[in-house]
C-alpha cells in the first residue's frame, strides 16, 4: 500500500518554517534565521498518494537569538503529523 514519504513532508514543513522565520522581525540586525534542530516529530497517520495535506507553521520567538516553530500537517481537518523546528540567529556574510 503506497504512502507519502515522511521525509518529503518534513522537507516541505522545513521550507515553510524557514519562510515564516525569514519574515519575522525579531531577529537581531546582521543575522538571519537558520534551522538548528527538529524535535517532537510525530507521524500520526499514513498519507495516501493524492491526499490533500494542509501544513501550517506557528513561530514562537525566544529573544532575538532564536525561535521555535510549531509545525502541523492536516488531512481533512485531522492532525496527521506534528513537529517543532528550532531556529537560531546566524550572522550574515558581508
Amino acid at each position: 500500500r503506497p504512502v507519502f514519504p515522511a521525509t518529503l513532508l518534513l522537507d516541505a514543513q522545513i521550507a515553510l518554517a524557514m519562510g515564516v522565520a525569514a519574515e519575522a522581525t525579531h531577529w537581531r540586525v546582521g543575522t538571519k534565521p537558520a534551522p538548528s534542530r527538529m524535535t517532537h516529530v510525530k507521524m500520526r497517520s499514513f498519507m495516501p498518494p493524492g491526499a490533500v495535506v494542509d501544513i501550517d507553521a506557528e513561530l514562537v520567538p525566544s529573544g532575538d537569538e532564536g525561535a521555535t516553530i510549531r509545525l502541523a500537517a492536516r488531512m481533512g481537518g485531522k492532525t496527521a503529523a506534528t513537529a517543532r523546528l528550532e531556529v537560531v540567529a546566524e550572522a550574515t556574510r558581508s
Side-chain angles (χ1 to χ4, degrees):
R1 188 171 116 173
V3 296
F4 187 73
T7 54
L8 293 178
L9 175 63
L10 291 173
D11 186 60
Q13 288 179 312
I14 291 169
L16 174 64
M18 294 311 298
V20 169
E23 293 179 9
T25 59
H26 77 282
W27 302 107
R28 189 170 29 106
V29 173
T31 65
K32 64 178 182 173
S36 174
R37 69 182 185 146
M38 188 168 251
T39 64
H40 299 82
V41 177
K42 294 192 188 320
M43 298 301 294
R44 300 176 187 276
S45 65
F46 292 106
M47 297 176 189
V52 175
V53 179
D54 295 313
I55 60 175
D56 55 60
E58 176 188 0
L59 185 133
V60 180
S62 54
D64 59 3
E65 294 293 321
T68 298
I69 302 175
R70 295 181 188 138
L71 301 162
R74 292 182 180 78
M75 287 187 313
K78 288 186 156 188
T79 301
T82 57
R84 292 183 190 165
L85 181 66
E86 294 179 13
V87 180
V88 296
E90 182 179 86
T92 55
R93 297 179 189 239
S94 300

